[in-house]
Structures are given as structure tokens and as C-alpha cells.
Amino acid sequence: QATVLTSTTAGAMAMMRNLFCASALLGVALNVAAAQKAEGKKPIVSMDLIYGTVELISDVYSDAQAQISKAAAPVTGPLMQKVSATFPADPLADICAKVGMQKSKVLDKVSTAKDAAIQAKATVAVLMDKAYSPVANFVEQLISTFEKKMPKYSGLIPKTVGDLVVFIVYALVVAYVVLRLALFAFRMALSIFCCICCCGSCACCRSRKHHGKHHHHKKHHSNGAKKGEAAAAAATPAAAKAKGKKKA
């Protein structure tokens, strides 16, 4: 019984979790459907969701940092002033003088390294653009072909690589939740069916076992009674003969 109760509780928790996920996805789908009816067909999901989430997190972080800095200013201000007073006015020049190098040469090296980094970034950007362009064209052609085959879904999938990736991830999540719900319903139905069949079989076995014991006990009791009656009948003539012998 404890095992059955534990499995039932775990199943109920899993069902609540799946229902919560399904409700959230259903709410998103209903909002998207309402927006489409109100303003025409729009993409189900797109990179705007990612951009909006990142922007929201960034704004919350910036605001929290500003509030913390403002609250900690009376404490950190004097400490920063004391720390700054311990450093020289020009730390780089002081270090170069101790090492025996000229500050201008060091700055020239740093400037050269920055220019090389900028040039490397530009080269990488050009290579990325060359590699991205064929992929973007393929995605655009793929979605255009899909819209031609199914015109009523035209405009629901944006024609960019990032938006297509977001849509695929969203579709996989929805399919996963639906599959989990279907499997859970199937397992619950199978458990109920097995429970009914097993309980019925156990009840039948117990009834047959109890009936067999009762029949065996009744048969044994009747056999004992018959043996007792036969013994009494056999003992009566013997007792009569014994009495006759005594009288004689």
C-alpha cells in the first residue's frame, strides 16, 4: 500500500508539472492567436523574444547596480579615496621608469596591438559574412517553399537563421510536453487497468482458496463423525458380550 501511495503521489506531481508546462505553452499560443486575429498574421516566435529578454535583464541589472552603488557610496567613497591616494599620479610612467623603458614606446606597442585586434575582427566579420550568406539564402528559400506549399501559414516563420532556430526549439519543446502528457495519460490508464485486473484476480484466488479450505474442513469433519459412529456401533456388541460373560 505504501508503494502504491508513493507511486500515486509521484504520478500526481508529474501530472501537475506537465499540466503547468502545457498551460504556459497554451497561454503563449492563445496570446499569439489573439495578436494574429487583431493585427494579422505575425511570427509565432522570433529573435525579438531573445532580444527583449536580454534587454529586460540588462535594464534590471543596470538599475540594481545603480541602486547598490548609490546606497554604498557613503561607505565606498572614503575607502576609494584612501586607496587612490596610495597610488602615484601616473602609474604607467612610474613602472616604466623602474623597469627602464620609455612610456611612449609602450603606448606605441599598445596602439599597434589594438590596431591588429581591430583588423582581425574585421577579417573575421568578412569571413563570417561569407559563410552566413549561403545559409541565410538557403533558409529563405526553404521558408518560401514552405509558404508556397501551405499559404495559410505564410508569415508565421521569419525568414532568418536565428528566427528559424528559435522556432525549431519552440516546436521541439511543445512536442516534448505534448509527448510527456500523452505518455503520462497512457501510463495512468495502463496502471488503472492492471490494478483492476490484478485486484480481480487476487479476489478470485482468495475466494477459491477460502472455499477449498472450508470444503476440506467440512469433509474432514464428516469423515470423523462417520468414523466415530462406526466405532460406537462396533463397541456396543462387544460391551453386550462382556456383560453376558460376567453374569454367567
Side-chain angles (χ1 to χ4, degrees):
Q1 293 179 355
T3 305
V4 173
L5 181 61
T6 304
S7 61
T8 305
T9 305
M13 293 296 293
M15 183 177 181
M16 291 296 294
R17 184 173 63 251
N18 293 332
L19 287 176
F20 178 76
C21 295
S23 299
L25 293 173
L26 181 61
V28 173
L30 290 176
N31 290 332
V32 171
Q36 290 175 359
K37 289 182 179 179
E39 302 179 3
K41 288 187 177 181
K42 288 186 176 181
I44 297 176
V45 289
S46 64
M47 287 297 292
D48 293 338
L49 179 66
I50 307 297
Y51 296 148
T53 304
V54 173
E55 185 178 359
L56 175 63
I57 295 174
S58 178
D59 291 341
V60 171
Y61 173 76
S62 299
D63 185 69
Q65 187 180 17
Q67 295 294 331
I68 293 172
S69 300
K70 184 178 179 181
V75 179
T76 57
L79 292 176
M80 292 300 296
Q81 290 179 358
K82 290 181 181 180
V83 172
S84 299
T86 58
F87 288 99
D90 192 352
L92 181 60
D94 187 66
I95 293 172
C96 291
K98 290 181 180 180
V99 176
M101 298 179 62
Q102 295 182 1
K103 179 182 176 180
S104 59
K105 291 184 178 180
V106 174
L107 293 178
D108 291 339
K109 296 291 184 181
V110 172
S111 179
T112 303
K114 288 182 178 180
D115 293 339
I118 293 172
Q119 184 64 31
K121 288 182 180 180
T123 304
V124 171
V126 172
L127 294 176
M128 289 290 293
D129 184 66
K130 289 182 179 180
Y132 179 79
S133 296
V135 178
N137 294 332
F138 173 75
V139 169
E140 185 175 359
Q141 293 176 1
L142 179 65
I143 298 175
S144 298
T145 304
F146 171 77
E147 291 178 350
K148 290 179 181 179
K149 297 292 184 181
M150 307 185 73
K152 67 178 182 178
Y153 296 109
S154 179
L156 295 181
I157 305 175
K159 298 179 181 180
T160 61
V161 178
D163 292 329
L164 180 61
V165 171
V166 171
F167 174 78
I168 292 174
V169 172
Y170 173 77
L172 290 176
V173 171
V174 172
Y176 173 75
V177 172
V178 172
L179 180 61
R180 286 293 300 270
L181 289 173
L183 290 176
F184 178 77
F186 175 74
R187 289 172 182 171
M188 286 294 293
L190 186 61
S191 301
I192 294 171
F193 177 76
C194 293
C195 181
I196 293 173
C197 292
C198 292
C199 291
S201 300
C202 292
C204 292
C205 292
R206 289 175 183 174
S207 178
R208 290 177 182 175
K209 188 176 181 180
H210 179 71
H211 180 70
K213 287 183 177 179
H214 180 70
H215 181 70
H216 179 71
H217 179 70
K218 186 176 180 181
K219 185 177 180 181
H220 180 72
H221 181 71
S222 62
N223 292 334
K226 289 180 180 179
K227 288 180 180 179
E229 291 176 357
T236 300
K241 289 180 180 181
K243 287 181 180 181
K245 288 179 180 180
K246 288 181 180 180
K247 288 180 179 181

